[in-house]
Amino acid sequence: MLIAGTVPVTDMPLIFGRVEKEGKKLRVDGHYLPCTQGTMAMVSAALATTCHLGLEPPRVLLAGDIGTGKGSRLIYQYLIEHIEELAPRVLALHYCLPIVTLMQKLYTAVEKCRPRPVLIADAGSMYAAKAAGVAPHFDIFTPDPSEIAFLADPEAVHPAYISRHLFEDAFARVPELIKHAYANGGAAKCLLVKGAVDYIVKDGVIVDEIKEPDVPQMECIGGTGDTITGMVTAFAYAELELEQAASISAKANRAAGQRANPTPATSVAEIIDQLPVVFRENLCSWSGICTR
Amino acid sequence: MVLSWLKKSLEARAGTAVARGLVIFTTVEEAMKAEKVLKKAGFDCKLVAPPPDMRKGCDLALEIDLVEQTAVARTLTGRVSFMGIYPCKGEMEPLQVEKVTRFAEHVMIKSGNMKLVFDIKTGVIVNISGGGCPDIPYLYTRLVGTHLAAAPRPRDEGRTLCALMLDRALEKALEIWKGVAPN
């Protein structure tokens, strides 16, 4: 499993390695990073999942980027040149500046890999995949309602430019937007649309809806979508079917939120701290994966 | 492996085209001056002829990476006069719809793909959620824990369209905090 994304650290170089947890921080290649919104929340949730399953920790490719695109370009370019030798079974792309030409080159490089990795995208990498016209070749996207409106809008090049009517109705019209996203080539093979209802979609068909427990405060907490994507990545690495990986991840995220008893001011790290207990108590019954 | 590759990569910078946008100018001179200003600031841009339906000003426009609209506008403002920045396809203006959700002690503002949450009693920003551009986790570290009135503006410190959406959420939050807008 390889997770690639930027972190909000000015001038942090490109780093690559297995992630370890040390206290409240994550350590990669000698760098200590906090579990905050974005790539590191995703990595933290993936690590919590692999720990529970007894799998090796995720490999991560990170670079500092505070919006200039410098770190994003390093990540894209490194993956383009090295993806065959890295040979991940699952490749998850996360916070990166959406650079269409580099995403197209990366997709071309990934298609040459044998076996081809499971391709997962969220955040800016998902925006890039849609804008580059390669969304249907990805295995799973994890958009929220505003992002499914973006995937459904064939003209939009970024969620800031979606049609006003699509945004205004997005939260009530997710199933319809899912259909549009598939019809317009904006969707991956599988979708997990995160929201008040989590929709799991395979090849355009909604195969599961998860509504409980309902914890409205979770929407406020930066990183609670990233955690879902991190768990999906880890469960895909454990060779679960993607729709099952998505369903379990959505359930676990909600259960972790409920256990944390959050307010809108809660941090994502407090949610992630609950994942080990959630897995211990529920994963066996949810999935048949029963660890000691 | 990473270090040796990194050195080579920095010497040969990758292609950079993203979804494109156009900066429109009144005069050719302004377009040419803007190209110099943006290139000096490190932006990828090139002078092009705008398509007929976007020919609002002169016959020369500057093609940019649209996701960097916020940073491009900031760099040009006060240096070169421009009529506007527009995507090459789709909606011509960024989304401007804010939705307000009220919790017991907090208010959440949604603007596009961004959400900002503040404490209704103290005015302190307590969370930022959503978005996918790399300046958002950075802006999270800059804004969360600061008072709405003292927080740095995402349009000043961010670079992307996600930052622009976050700025609009902050603006709406400030209106509510100051009692100008209903919450």
Side-chain angles (χ1 to χ4, degrees), chain B residues 147-165:
Chain B
H147 192 280
L148 287 168
R153 293 298 294 253
R155 69 177 180 217
D156 295 333
E157 297 215 357
R159 294 179 62 90
T160 66
L161 287 166
C162 295
L164 180 64
M165 292 293 101

Side-chain angles (χ1 to χ4, degrees), chain A residues 6 8 10 13-16 36-38 65-70 72-74 77-78 81-82 85-86 94-102 105 123-125 127 131 144 146-147 153-155 157-164 167-171 216-217 219-224 263-267, chain B residues 1-3 5-6 8-10 12-20 44 65-69 85-87 89-99 101 103 106 108 110-115 117 126-141 157-162 164-165:
Chain A
T6 62
T10 310
L14 189 76
I15 61 171
F16 174 71
T36 50
Q37 186 226 24
D65 194 334
I66 61 168
T68 63
K70 185 178 163 190
S72 302
R73 290 183 178 96
L74 291 173
Q77 200 62 35
Y78 189 81
E81 294 181 20
H82 295 279
E85 62 192 274
L86 293 169
H94 206 227
Y95 270 76
C96 278
L97 198 69
I99 304 175
V100 172
T101 51
L102 292 179
K105 286 180 184 174
S125 296
Y127 305 170
D144 69 12
S146 70
E147 290 169 334
D153 186 340
E155 295 287 298
V157 295
H158 185 279
Y161 276 99
I162 54 175
S163 297
R164 181 189 174 100
F167 174 74
E168 285 184 332
D169 295 345
F171 300 86
Q217 294 85 351
E219 189 180 4
C220 300
I221 301 168
T224 49
T263 74
T266 296
S267 74
Chain B
M1 183 166 72
V2 170
L3 281 176
W5 173 84
L6 185 61
K8 192 175 72 176
S9 177
L10 286 170
R13 196 168 173 224
T16 54
V18 297
R20 310 299 284 175
D44 290 298
D65 294 346
L66 187 65
V67 74
E68 295 187 306
Q69 176 175 336
I85 301 175
Y86 306 97
K89 62 176 187 174
E91 295 288 316
M92 293 299 284
E93 298 289 340
L95 198 61
Q96 186 142 24
V97 185
E98 291 83 33
K99 293 185 176 183
T101 306
F103 293 85
H106 300 88
M108 176 173 68
K110 284 183 201 169
S111 176
N113 57 337
M114 293 306 310
K115 297 155 208 164
V117 189
V126 298
N127 244 314
I128 288 170
S129 174
C133 305
D135 50 355
I136 294 304
Y138 169 69
L139 290 168
Y140 180 100
T141 66
E157 297 215 357
R159 294 179 62 90
T160 66
L161 287 166
C162 295
L164 180 64
M165 292 293 101

Side-chain angles (χ1 to χ4, degrees), chain A residues 79 83 88-93 103 106-108 110-111 116-122 129 134-141 188-190 232-233 236 242:
Chain A
L79 287 174
I83 192 64
R89 267 201 287 129
V90 179
L91 173 62
L93 306 170
M103 176 55 83
L106 175 56
Y107 166 70
T108 302
V110 166
E111 285 300 306
R116 178 191 181 277
V118 173
L119 262 184
I120 297 171
D122 187 29
V134 297
H137 302 286
F138 275 68
D139 294 287
I140 186 163
F141 285 168
K189 292 166 194 161
C190 188
V232 168
T233 303
L242 284 178

Side-chain angles (χ1 to χ4, degrees), chain B residues 1 16 20 28-29 54 75 106 114 120 128 151 154 166 172 175-176:
Chain B
M1 183 166 72
T16 54
R20 310 299 284 175
V28 169
E29 289 74 21
M54 291 183 70
T75 304
H106 300 88
M114 293 306 310
I120 196 68
I128 288 170
L166 182 59
K172 181 72 175 178
E175 286 177 11
I176 292 170

